[in-house]
Amino acid sequence: MEGTSPIKEKGADKTMIKDMFGTDRLKINLHLHTTQSDGHKTPEEAAAIYREAGYDVIAITDHWKYRESGAIGGLRILSGAEYNIGGANGAEGVYHILALGCGREPRIHREAGPQAIIDEINGCGGIAVLAHPAWSLNTVEQTKGLEGVGATEIYNTVSDAGESSRPYSGDFVDASACRGRLYPLLADDDTHYYNGEDETASYIMLACSPEASDAELLEAIRRKAFYATQGPEIHLRREGSRVTVNCTPAVRISFFSNAVWARGRCVRGSGLTEASCEIQPFETFIRAEVTDADGRRAWSNTIELRQ
Ligand SMILES: [Zn+2]
Ligand SMILES: [Zn+2]
């Protein structure tokens, strides 16, 4: 655990990133826009920017525009699209749903409701992602009845880098988890402007072979074989009644669960690489976040706690 940044090893024709435990990771942004909808770069320009930044995979998720899997300029593309409904008034129910890894283009009506969109994405073999719930002002009341949501975004870069300031969905995530919805937690750029702020900032590090098929990539996302980050590593594990975070040097390590208050859930200092806490009998889930000295954050997935 001496390294503070991932080690890169040049393979035959792939770049492998290893985490602090030696596990191969793929660097992935699953949400971005291009000139095919309201993004400011072409798909080719976007792919070049992400490839240059060391990404292994991106999904091009233009609004109502399906982009199939393949490669652009040597960068792997996972099929994607974003189906947004509800306009701009959060009081009326705004839902933005990503389709990731579909085997064919979803057939979705502009008048479809959120459940019909999710059903069609799942019917195409993809993962339906509830994008930026904080930005959309989604509530647990709105989403608790939706079946088949495969993941959500705990962080969405452009929601703090464009024309809005609600990038963080941790409150929604925790309130959902209180109701038993433990979604895989993505951090995505949702790149639109490519203005030095909303590109190549937030991503997932997926434990998966670069040779994996699309189905294997999706399977790894579904079983939460990743952490979400802006740079730091975060690894969360449970042993009995104790939960431990290992991370690259951080100034803050925080735990989040259905306990609205518990002792020792926020550790501050400098160069922190580990923190742990005791689970209380009533706790049903727990997750963690770290912040490094540069203010960059990382988010673990949620662990379900069965006593
Ligand atoms: Zn959106
Ligand atoms: Zn988007």
Side-chain angles (χ1 to χ4, degrees):
M1 271 201 283
E2 58 275 299
T4 57
S5 58
I7 302 156
K8 287 206 163 196
E9 291 175 359
K10 280 278 181 196
D13 52 3
K14 306 277 187 203
T15 302
M16 300 298 298
I17 302 174
K18 287 190 188 297
D19 68 21
M20 61 204 293
F21 295 108
T23 302
D24 290 335
R25 300 267 174 178
L26 300 180
K27 183 176 181 178
I28 304 177
N29 175 32
L30 292 168
H31 189 171
L32 68 84
H33 298 271
T34 74
T35 48
Q36 297 289 296
S37 62
D38 57 352
H40 291 196
K41 296 285 186 190
T42 66
E44 291 72 24
E45 289 167 337
I49 288 167
Y50 279 87
R51 185 174 181 224
E52 185 67 22
Y55 284 70
D56 297 293
V57 183
I58 61 171
I60 294 176
T61 51
D62 279 304
H63 299 283
W64 296 91
K65 176 86 182 166
Y66 175 75
R67 159 71 69 161
E68 63 187 11
S69 290
I72 300 178
L75 181 63
R76 180 169 175 179
I77 309 294
L78 181 68
S79 78
E82 181 172 21
Y83 300 98
N84 52 293
I85 55 173
N89 184 354
E92 295 177 356
V94 174
Y95 301 87
H96 287 211
I97 300 167
L98 302 180
L100 297 177
C102 289
R104 63 169 171 80
E105 180 171 2
R107 297 187 193 96
I108 296 173
H109 250 262
R110 290 274 177 171
E111 291 74 34
Q115 188 63 64
I117 295 172
I118 293 163
D119 288 347
E120 173 64 6
I121 293 166
N122 282 302
C124 294
I127 293 180
V129 178
L130 182 70
H132 47 64
W135 183 91
S136 301
L137 292 178
N138 288 138
T139 68
V140 178
E141 291 304 309
Q142 285 177 327
T143 59
K144 67 179 183 189
L146 294 177
E147 298 296 336
V149 175
T152 191
E153 290 177 337
I154 193 162
Y155 197 87
N156 176 279
T157 305
V158 76
S159 296
D160 195 36
E163 294 161 6
S164 54
S165 300
R166 289 194 187 103
Y168 175 64
S169 294
D171 299 347
F172 169 85
V173 161
D174 293 338
S176 295
C178 284
R179 305 289 192 94
R181 300 281 192 192
L182 275 60
Y183 308 116
L185 303 178
L186 308 172
D188 295 330
D189 282 337
D190 195 2
T191 332
H192 282 72
Y193 305 103
Y194 302 86
N195 58 359
E197 290 185 52
D198 74 346
E199 76 274 44
T200 65
S202 308
Y203 48 96
I204 66 167
M205 295 296 283
L206 184 68
C208 195
S209 161
E211 280 79 37
S213 65
D214 281 5
E216 289 166 335
L217 280 184
L218 298 191
E219 194 274 328
I221 293 169
R222 288 192 177 98
R223 70 181 152 79
K224 305 180 182 179
F226 65 90
Y227 60 89
T229 187
Q230 298 175 317
E233 284 192 33
I234 183 170
H235 305 274
L236 180 67
R237 68 175 194 277
R238 178 192 182 186
E239 287 158 323
S241 63
R242 207 155 181 81
V243 171
T244 301
V245 166
N246 290 102
C247 57
T248 47
V251 296
R252 184 178 183 126
I253 303 174
S254 304
F255 296 91
F256 298 81
S257 78
N258 55 305
V260 296
W261 182 84
R263 220 173 262 290
R265 297 300 172 91
C266 179
V267 181
R268 298 179 212 210
S270 63
L272 303 171
T273 56
E274 184 171 310
S276 49
C277 68
E278 280 292 319
I279 302 161
Q280 301 172 90
F282 71 91
E283 290 184 275
T284 57
F285 71 90
I286 196 160
R287 65 179 182 85
E289 300 180 5
V290 306
T291 307
D292 73 11
D294 296 321
R296 299 181 306 172
R297 298 163 74 184
W299 303 267
S300 79
N301 265 298
T302 308
I303 294 178
E304 184 167 16
L305 304 171
R306 295 185 190 282
Q307 300 301 318

